[in-house]
Amino acid sequence: MKVFNTVKELRKELEPLRQTSKTIGLVPTMGALHEGHLSLARRAKQECDIVVVSDFVNPIQFNNQHDLDTYPRTIDEDTEKLRGVNCDFLFAPSVEEMYPTPVADKYSFGKLEEVMEGPRRPGHFSGVAVVVRRLFDIVEPQKAFFGEKDFQQLAIIKNLVQQINYNIEIVPCPLVRADDGLALSSRNKRLSAENRTKAPKIHATLSQATQKAGNMSVAQVKQWVIDVFNADPAFEPEYFEIVEDQTLQPIASWNDADGIVGCIAVWMDDVRLIDIIRFK
Ligand code: PAF
């Protein structure tokens, strides 16, 4: 695996490969890699000739300075893990390399960003879109791989590709869980030992919620989930929404949509965790 820190060097390496019609797959990450990221890289390796993984903690998508400052940075371990999955190129630029001049670009996603993460993390999705578009411009992949755990981000990125009219296939990849059910996330590293043992309750509760859907209304299931977490001092729920899986608009009745997903954000001390569950 070759490691690149500059755009120029990476482009120079990719250019001749493009001439030989090799397909290029991009896996954008912010590092602190876990099995979820590695599953994206493996999938990319199955579907593309050349796999580029980017490892860049993107400051302009953080709306909370503490979250940015404490975001785990583990480039040496990440490099080893990517070698283990036969990644071809690791792109790990500095902030100055990605953003040599102040960032003026702004993206809007209409109703897609009016729900869940959007209002709670102002500017977040525009910051994600800026870095993802830059990565697309640098790597020019045929396919890009994103995890379904960040369900709203995935919808936003599909919308971005339509807005900018790029011929890039966005490949959604399934969420990966720890054996105890906790959705894998780089932020799990920041949980206290005690909170780590309690955190699987998030998935357990969402799974129970899907069982309740037969007897309860959408509003009742939403309230039940929020009540479960409010009753446990280890958790502070931020939102739980039950949405149509394409438009991400909240539904009022189980018959409102063919694809329905529940999305949650909860705090455990100063760590914010998200998870999803499919109702149908
Ligand atoms: O999902 C992430 O890790 C980030 O939001 C992404 C897509 C790599 C952009 O910085």
Side-chain angles (χ1 to χ4, degrees):
M1 183 180 76
K2 291 188 182 169
V3 181
F4 300 93
N5 302 118
T6 68
V7 174
K8 200 172 163 190
E9 286 166 340
L10 178 62
R11 281 208 177 117
K12 198 170 157 208
E13 186 79 23
L14 288 171
E15 199 45 46
L17 296 169
R18 263 194 274 281
Q19 307 305 328
T20 58
S21 337
K22 296 252 190 247
T23 54
I24 299 172
L26 171 67
V27 181
T29 82
M30 296 207 297
L33 302 183
H34 50 66
E35 198 43 46
H37 298 112
L38 300 181
S39 74
L40 302 181
R42 283 193 204 98
R43 173 84 177 266
K45 202 64 203 159
Q46 281 167 7
E47 297 193 17
C48 303
D49 299 316
I50 302 290
V51 172
V52 182
V53 175
S54 63
D55 190 320
F56 176 66
V57 181
N58 177 30
I60 65 165
Q61 72 183 72
F62 285 79
N63 58 321
N64 174 329
Q65 188 64 36
H66 177 70
D67 194 24
L68 174 60
D69 293 343
T70 55
Y71 200 85
R73 287 156 169 92
T74 57
I75 188 70
D76 294 340
E77 292 165 37
D78 293 350
T79 308
E80 280 321 299
K81 287 180 183 170
L82 290 172
R83 284 209 171 91
V85 294
N86 295 323
C87 167
D88 298 285
F89 303 143
L90 166 59
F91 178 50
S94 64
V95 174
E96 295 70 33
E97 182 68 17
M98 273 313 267
Y99 301 127
T101 55
V103 180
D105 335 10
K106 290 250 178 306
Y107 292 90
S108 299
F109 297 97
K111 284 189 165 303
L112 278 182
E113 63 177 349
E114 285 171 13
V115 290
M116 303 191 288
E117 300 291 302
R120 291 166 177 99
R121 303 179 72 188
H124 168 67
F125 286 125
S126 184
V128 169
V130 169
V131 77
V132 168
R133 184 181 186 162
R134 287 197 184 192
L135 291 167
F136 286 168
D137 288 339
I138 295 164
V139 176
E140 296 179 45
Q142 277 79 29
K143 295 188 183 194
F145 299 77
F146 293 88
E148 284 184 327
K149 178 175 144 273
D150 293 289
F151 201 74
Q152 190 170 9
Q153 170 173 280
L154 181 60
I156 293 272
I157 286 167
K158 285 183 190 160
N159 184 285
L160 171 72
V161 171
Q162 285 174 350
Q163 280 188 38
I164 61 181
N165 206 12
Y166 280 12
N167 187 17
I168 298 175
E169 184 187 340
I170 302 303
V171 183
C173 300
L175 185 156
V176 180
R177 297 186 182 283
D179 288 345
D180 59 13
L182 179 64
L184 294 188
S185 162
S186 303
R187 290 184 176 86
N188 294 350
K189 285 194 170 72
R190 291 184 43 227
L191 291 169
S192 67
E194 194 186 347
N195 282 345
R196 176 63 190 81
T197 61
K198 292 183 176 164
K201 180 166 178 170
I202 301 169
H203 176 56
T205 305
L206 296 190
S207 298
Q208 274 180 277
T210 62
Q211 307 301 314
K212 306 237 171 236
N215 311 317
M216 284 182 174
S217 68
V218 173
Q220 284 169 329
V221 171
K222 276 168 67 170
Q223 195 56 50
W224 179 81
V225 169
I226 293 293
D227 290 346
V228 168
F229 290 111
N230 274 334
D232 186 332
F235 297 90
E236 196 189 320
E238 192 171 303
Y239 66 79
F240 175 58
E241 286 292 353
I242 300 180
V243 300
E244 203 268 327
D245 66 355
Q246 302 299 312
T247 62
L248 305 190
Q249 297 314 292
I251 54 153
S253 139
W254 300 114
N255 297 324
D256 280 357
D258 293 333
I260 298 179
V261 172
C263 302
I264 195 165
V266 286
W267 289 87
M268 298 192 80
D269 291 331
D270 65 341
V271 183
R272 187 174 186 273
L273 301 175
I274 60 171
D275 201 346
I276 61 158
I277 197 91
R278 188 163 279 280
F279 283 86
K280 65 175 180 175

